[in-house]
Amino acid sequence: MADTSDAELRRVRGIHQLRSYRIASVVRIGVVGLMVAATIIGTSRSEWPRQGVLIAGYAFAALCAMARAFLPAARRGTVRRLEPFAFTVIDVIALTVFQLLSTDGVYPLLIMTMLPILLGLDVSSRRAAVVLSFSMAGFAIAVLQDPDMLRSVGLLEAIFRFALYGFLCATAYLAVRIEDRHTRSVAGLSVLREELLAQTMTASDVVQRRISESIHDGPLQDILVVRQELVELETELPGDERVERALAGLQIASQRLRQATFELHPAVLEQVGLGAAVHQLVSDAAQRSGIEITTDIDYPIRNEIDPIMFGVARELVSNIVQHSRARHASVTLGVTDRRCVMHVVDDGVGFSGETIARRLGEGHIGLASHRARVDAAGGVFVLLDVPHGTHICVDVPLKQSDPPLLPET
């Protein structure tokens, strides 16, 4: 439970940090513009060369931060955890040095008040406290080292400015603390949601298995017994069309019941594993629908996530048959870097995230529930952009225990 909570806290913090990272990168570009304006309006020309070098370097860092924040890699969570903090340190150094390079720089001093805003976007109260402390120290040095400013405003006003800046820093720290608590609360609720979802899906699996066994051991066996009796009757009454029709009807009924029991809880999933179960699922769907569905399966293991992946495969293949109007489709299943990866592709009408949301609103929760189950297992369910049809990738990490190989058949 503790490990799950910590992992979820890191995930939620990562989401908030990416959002804050992007907002700060946009604000930082605005700060660069203000620095240029302050240089032109509020400082002497003799100071422009040094300030220009500093602003150019800071502008380059700001552009790098923006590029990193909005790259697709950031969306996938590959931005390093301390990367936003590094740019925040650059903010403090750049704005403090900018003030130190400006004689009687009232406008550069005002720009330093942007630091609490940038720091207030952090999601770590501990980091924010450290950086805000250094920011206040830099502000005090910037005020005290400028004799022209002290002569023009006086010591009392200088102290007031420092107190005002301290108030801004304290407010920023309070905002970070609130955001930190909010993040922990969201993480806790997310963990609770995942636990409830896992319990619900487990209960659903149990119910489906009981229904499957009940159908297999009850109505299906009764149909097979009646069919056998009709076969014996056919030998006594050869050529009777009524008996032939009854046998054909019972054959169709038994096939449908077998298909229902398989989709509810495939025994093959426990006997020979996920790969064989998905292959049989696809073969049955292709035979029923007339859609050409190919498979490329290389999954010679067993793992605790197999029921999750089979449920997703069953839902996606069902959607292809019922809604896609596709002529061709493919299912790929394999293991990469201790992760189970499945691709389901079709050339049908396709659908989007908005379509999923609309169908969820209409009460169709099948795909959404499996998507949530994948999320709860630490995986990703991605609807990829393709020119035609649909391409869905499901990527779920294998459980930590060593996955046993299936016996060769």
Side-chain angles (χ1 to χ4, degrees):
M1 174 64 181
D3 293 340
T4 303
S5 300
D6 292 342
E8 185 61 20
L9 179 60
R10 287 192 297 269
R11 188 186 71 84
V12 174
R13 272 185 171 170
I15 294 173
H16 283 261
Q17 187 177 53
L18 177 58
R19 181 200 63 189
S20 301
Y21 191 15
R22 289 176 170 176
I23 295 174
S25 67
V26 175
V27 173
R28 194 174 286 115
I29 297 297
V31 172
V32 172
L34 291 175
M35 290 174 70
V36 173
T39 299
I40 297 173
I41 297 172
T43 62
S44 63
R45 291 179 178 272
S46 62
E47 297 172 346
W48 286 8
R50 292 180 300 173
Q51 291 171 339
V53 172
L54 175 65
I55 293 174
Y58 184 56
F60 176 76
L63 292 174
C64 289
M66 176 170 281
R68 289 289 297 166
F70 287 94
L71 280 175
R75 191 179 298 110
R76 295 193 297 268
T78 58
V79 171
R80 295 178 181 177
R81 189 167 63 91
L82 293 180
E83 186 174 308
F85 176 68
F87 283 109
T88 300
V89 173
I90 293 175
D91 294 332
V92 175
I93 295 174
L95 296 188
T96 303
V97 173
F98 181 60
Q99 169 60 32
L100 294 176
L101 293 177
S102 306
T103 304
D104 194 18
V106 176
Y107 292 116
L109 193 66
L110 290 175
I111 292 176
M112 285 195 69
T113 60
M114 294 296 295
L115 280 176
I117 298 176
L118 290 168
L119 297 174
L121 294 171
D122 204 332
V123 291
S124 170
S125 55
R126 192 172 299 176
R127 277 203 311 262
V130 173
V131 179
L132 284 168
S133 298
F134 279 103
S135 174
M136 289 185 63
F139 187 87
I141 293 172
V143 172
L144 296 176
Q145 66 84 36
D146 192 340
D148 293 337
M149 182 182 298
L150 288 176
R151 283 195 300 268
S152 62
V153 302
L155 181 60
L156 289 179
E157 186 171 344
I159 294 174
F160 172 76
R161 291 182 179 182
F162 179 74
L164 181 60
Y165 188 77
F167 176 77
L168 291 175
C169 290
T171 304
Y173 178 74
L174 180 61
V176 173
R177 287 283 295 176
I178 293 173
E179 182 69 12
D180 195 7
R181 291 188 177 185
H182 174 70
T183 301
R184 291 181 179 275
S185 176
V186 171
L189 291 174
S190 181
V191 170
L192 180 61
R193 177 190 68 85
E194 291 177 0
E195 291 178 350
L196 291 175
L197 177 63
Q199 293 173 7
T200 301
M201 297 302 289
T202 300
S204 176
D205 287 343
V206 172
V207 171
Q208 288 183 348
R209 179 171 185 168
R210 289 177 179 174
I211 295 174
S212 175
E213 292 174 350
S214 178
I215 293 174
H216 182 272
D217 297 337
L220 181 59
Q221 298 303 318
D222 293 339
I223 288 176
L224 294 178
V225 169
V226 173
R227 185 175 183 277
Q228 182 60 36
E229 291 179 352
L230 285 175
V231 169
E232 295 175 359
L233 180 61
E234 186 181 30
T235 59
E236 299 177 3
L237 301 173
D240 192 322
E241 294 182 357
R242 293 172 299 177
V243 176
E244 293 178 356
R245 287 197 300 270
L247 283 173
L250 289 174
Q251 178 66 22
I252 294 173
S254 63
Q255 289 177 350
R256 290 179 176 176
L257 285 176
R258 289 182 188 277
Q259 181 63 30
T261 58
F262 173 79
E263 292 187 356
L264 284 169
H265 184 80
V268 68
L269 184 62
E270 296 180 351
Q271 295 170 358
V272 292
L274 176 63
V278 170
H279 180 76
Q280 182 177 337
L281 173 74
V282 171
S283 298
D284 292 344
Q287 184 177 2
R288 292 196 318 271
S289 64
I291 301 173
E292 182 183 348
I293 310 178
T294 61
T295 58
D296 182 5
I297 297 174
D298 184 12
Y299 191 83
I301 61 175
R302 286 182 181 174
N303 197 266
E304 294 179 31
I305 67 165
D306 290 357
I308 298 175
M309 298 300 293
F310 180 80
V312 175
R314 178 178 59 201
E315 184 67 26
L316 294 178
V317 171
S318 175
N319 283 340
I320 291 175
V321 172
Q322 296 180 22
H323 307 294
S324 72
R325 288 183 278 177
R327 292 188 298 174
H328 304 89
S330 64
V331 177
T332 303
L333 177 68
V335 178
T336 303
D337 296 331
R338 293 193 62 83
R339 300 181 71 90
C340 178
V341 182
M342 179 169 61
H343 292 269
V344 180
V345 184
D346 68 68
D347 61 357
V349 296
F351 65 96
S352 62
E354 289 77 10
T355 305
I356 297 176
R358 177 176 53 79
R359 294 189 63 198
L360 180 61
E362 295 172 352
H364 304 286
I365 63 172
L367 191 60
S369 63
H370 288 291
R371 190 172 192 171
R373 197 177 186 187
V374 169
D375 291 341
V380 292
F381 185 110
V382 182
L383 179 62
L384 300 176
D385 292 330
V386 290
H388 304 287
T390 304
H391 185 173
I392 291 177
C393 174
V394 182
D395 184 333
V396 179
L398 300 174
K399 294 300 182 181
Q400 293 301 317
S401 57
D402 292 333
L405 293 175
L406 291 173
E408 293 183 1
T409 56

